[in-house]
């Protein structure tokens, strides 16, 4: 699954803080911000975030020197990560409880801006309803809002959220009540959530879902069912999600884990546990995919086992649970073609289940992952 707001994590030299003040249609500009990257990778000190188990964990970038990690153990917790990009180290705060102990099986976190994070989950203690919580970060302090039901459906474990602007989002949810895939719009103000209109992206329930914002009013959804993986454009007007085009087939394989990042306002990178990565192009509601690149060997196909981050419109990093441990691989994009760029970097020779990666600043990435159900993080240097 995706850390679907990678576009918050792309930069131009000297402009890193500007991307955290986006409003409305300014999100289109995020896909034009980039820097030239090399093909060598190096990992900083691996930081253990907390001693307790983290069954699901997401690392979310806020600024060039600050991120948060959100995890379940089984209650939802968060910790502020302060990044020293010079020494490639991470310092974290004590955990803060975000949500109750509800044995949830689905969890997703996305940055709305440089101080605000939206967390979505299925509340098993309340009929598995799609529920959201917003928390804000000031310095290293976290202020948590109240839980809000976004959709009163039994949503199972599959959900992803894309930030469309600093105040609006689109979520893609597996609706077990209607055995369908639903797209929901919504907005936040402070720590309050307003749920908007929905539409049925697929009348057949999915084994996995992904969504990636391209502009403030357009996103691309990806979902798998009945032996194949499909894609469909989702439009957002205000807080109402609607169809942006007809469903197209990506390939004839079910993807159990996936991740994506936006490249431009019409293209995105999509990676799956089938060890393949595609460039998907959106044109007026029509979607097409280039020839996939095969990379690495997956060691896990659990949800969250693969993610990617844009470095530039022609470069990205794929972070996946490789059979040798959590692995970062750079790729180069040329039109709809993807090629490997340099050698892969294995962070630690231990089996992992969850990965998330986002761009911090020029040549610096923040990588979060789990080893033995314990959350860890590392700063990755690209040179």
């Amino acid at each position: 699954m995706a850390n679907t707001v990678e576009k918050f994590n792309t930069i131009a030299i000297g402009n890193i803080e500007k991307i955290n003040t986006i409003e409305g249609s300014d999100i289109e500009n995020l896909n034009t911000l980039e820097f030239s990257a090399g093909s060598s990778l190096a990992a900083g000190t691996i930081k253990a975030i907390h001693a307790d188990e983290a069954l699901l964990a997401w690392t979310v970038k806020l600024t060039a020197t600050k991120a948060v990690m959100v995890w379940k153990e089984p209650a939802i917790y968060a910790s502020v990560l302060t990044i020293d990009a010079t020494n490639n180290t991470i310092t974290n705060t004590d955990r803060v409880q975000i949500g109750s102990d509800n044995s949830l099986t689905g969890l997703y976190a996305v940055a709305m801006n440089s101080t605000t994070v939206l967390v979505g989950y299925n509340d098993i203690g309340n009929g598995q309803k799609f529920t959201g919580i917003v928390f804000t970060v000031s310095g290293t302090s976290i202020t948590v809002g109240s839980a809000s039901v976004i959709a009163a459906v039994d949503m199972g474990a599959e959900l992803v959220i894309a930030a469309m602007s600093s105040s609006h989002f689109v979520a893609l949810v597996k609706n077990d009540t209607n055995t369908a895939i639903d797209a929901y719009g919504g907005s936040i103000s402070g720590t309050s959530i307003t749920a908007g209109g929905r539409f049925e992206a697929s009348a057949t329930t999915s084994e996995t879902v992904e969504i990636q914002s391209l502009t403030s009013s357009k996103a691309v959804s990806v979902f798998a069912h009945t032996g194949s993986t499909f894609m469909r454009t989702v439009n957002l007007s205000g807080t109402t999600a609607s169809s942006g085009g007809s469903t197209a087939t990506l390939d004839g394989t079910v993807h159990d884990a996936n991740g994506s990042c936006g490249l431009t306002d019409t293209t995105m990178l999509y990676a799956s546990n089938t060890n393949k990565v595609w460039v998907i192009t959106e044109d007026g509601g029509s979607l097409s995919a280039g020839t996939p690149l095969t990379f690495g060997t997956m060691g896990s196909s659990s949800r969250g086992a693969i993610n990617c981050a844009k470095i530039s419109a022609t470069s990205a990093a794929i972070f996946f649970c490789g059979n040798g441990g959590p692995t970062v691989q750079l790729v180069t994009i040329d039109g709809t073609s993807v090629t490997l760029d340099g050698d892969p970097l294995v962070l630690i020779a231990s089996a992992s289940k969850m990965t998330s990666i986002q761009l911090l600043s020029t040549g610096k990435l923040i990588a979060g992952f789990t080893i033995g159900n314990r959350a860890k993080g590392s700063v990755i240097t690209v040179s």
Side-chain angles (χ1 to χ4, degrees):
M1 290 179 164
N3 346 107
T4 42
V5 70
E6 282 84 354
K7 288 172 294 303
F8 285 115
N9 310 307
T10 54
I11 66 164
I13 296 174
N15 288 328
I16 184 66
E17 298 307 323
K18 294 181 181 178
I19 67 175
N20 292 307
T21 58
I22 65 167
E23 294 288 347
S25 61
D26 288 343
I27 195 166
E28 284 88 342
N29 298 328
L30 296 181
N31 290 316
T32 64
L33 302 175
E34 57 187 65
F35 72 92
S36 298
S39 57
S40 297
L41 293 165
T45 303
I46 293 176
K47 174 67 174 179
I49 305 305
H50 198 272
D52 288 341
E53 68 177 5
L55 302 180
L56 300 167
W58 298 103
T59 304
V60 179
K61 173 270 180 100
L62 295 176
T63 71
T65 58
K66 186 182 298 184
V68 294
M69 183 171 282
V70 180
W71 71 92
K72 163 201 180 287
E73 54 168 93
I76 306 171
Y77 290 93
S79 176
V80 178
L81 313 181
T82 300
I83 295 99
D84 181 342
T86 301
N87 297 305
N88 297 325
T89 58
I90 298 171
T91 303
N92 67 292
T93 62
D94 290 338
R95 64 180 185 175
V96 173
Q97 186 167 335
I98 303 300
S100 61
D101 180 353
N102 49 27
S103 299
L104 59 92
T105 56
L107 176 71
Y108 202 85
V110 63
M112 300 301 297
N113 53 54
S114 62
T115 61
T116 308
V117 176
L118 171 61
V119 178
Y121 61 97
N122 64 329
D123 191 342
I124 290 180
N126 189 24
Q128 294 202 124
K129 294 176 181 177
F130 175 28
T131 303
I133 296 177
V134 175
F135 68 86
T136 59
V137 178
S138 177
T140 57
S141 298
I142 292 176
T143 300
V144 184
S146 300
S148 175
V149 174
I150 298 174
V153 297
D154 176 350
M155 58 156 281
E158 298 295 339
L159 79 155
V160 284
I161 305 172
M164 306 295 284
S165 71
S166 60
S167 58
H168 288 75
F169 65 88
V170 169
L172 196 66
V173 174
K174 178 182 179 183
N175 183 343
D176 284 347
T177 300
N178 298 328
T179 62
I181 302 299
D182 291 338
Y184 291 89
S187 65
I188 67 167
S189 177
T191 57
S192 298
I193 301 172
T194 299
R198 59 163 285 276
F199 89 99
E200 189 175 86
S202 170
T204 303
T205 191
S206 180
E207 298 178 44
T208 186
V209 294
E210 173 66 3
I211 194 163
Q212 178 63 54
S213 56
L214 297 180
T215 72
S216 61
S217 59
K218 184 177 296 184
V220 173
S221 63
V222 183
F223 44 89
H225 60 74
T226 59
S228 295
T229 296
F230 305 92
M231 47 191 178
R232 188 173 186 178
T233 301
V234 177
N235 289 341
L236 181 69
S237 177
T239 59
T240 300
S242 62
S243 172
S246 58
T247 300
T249 301
L250 177 66
D251 77 341
T253 306
V254 170
H255 304 168
D256 296 316
N258 50 21
S260 67
C261 59
L263 298 172
T264 70
D265 60 3
T266 59
T267 59
M268 61 180 275
L269 197 68
Y270 172 82
S272 90
N273 69 296
T274 60
N275 300 102
K276 293 181 180 179
V277 57
W278 293 257
V279 173
I280 296 175
T281 302
E282 200 279 338
D283 183 9
S286 297
L287 293 167
S288 59
T291 302
L293 165 73
T294 300
F295 65 91
T297 302
M298 295 288 295
S300 171
S301 59
S302 60
R303 291 186 302 275
I306 185 167
N307 269 291
C308 54
K310 172 185 172 180
I311 294 174
S312 74
T314 59
S315 179
I318 302 171
F319 189 29
F320 61 99
C321 298
N323 63 350
T327 304
V328 182
Q329 173 68 64
L330 297 179
V331 296
T332 297
I333 298 99
D334 182 7
T336 60
S337 299
V338 189
T339 56
L340 298 176
D341 185 10
D343 296 326
L345 172 68
V346 178
L347 301 191
I348 182 172
S350 297
S352 57
K353 291 184 178 180
M354 292 285 297
T355 63
S356 50
I357 189 165
Q358 303 202 330
L359 189 65
L360 290 169
S361 60
T362 304
K364 300 290 181 180
L365 299 151
I366 178 74
F369 53 98
T370 60
I371 298 290
N373 289 336
R374 299 296 186 271
K376 301 180 184 296
S378 179
V379 177
I380 309 299
T381 300
V382 184
S383 61

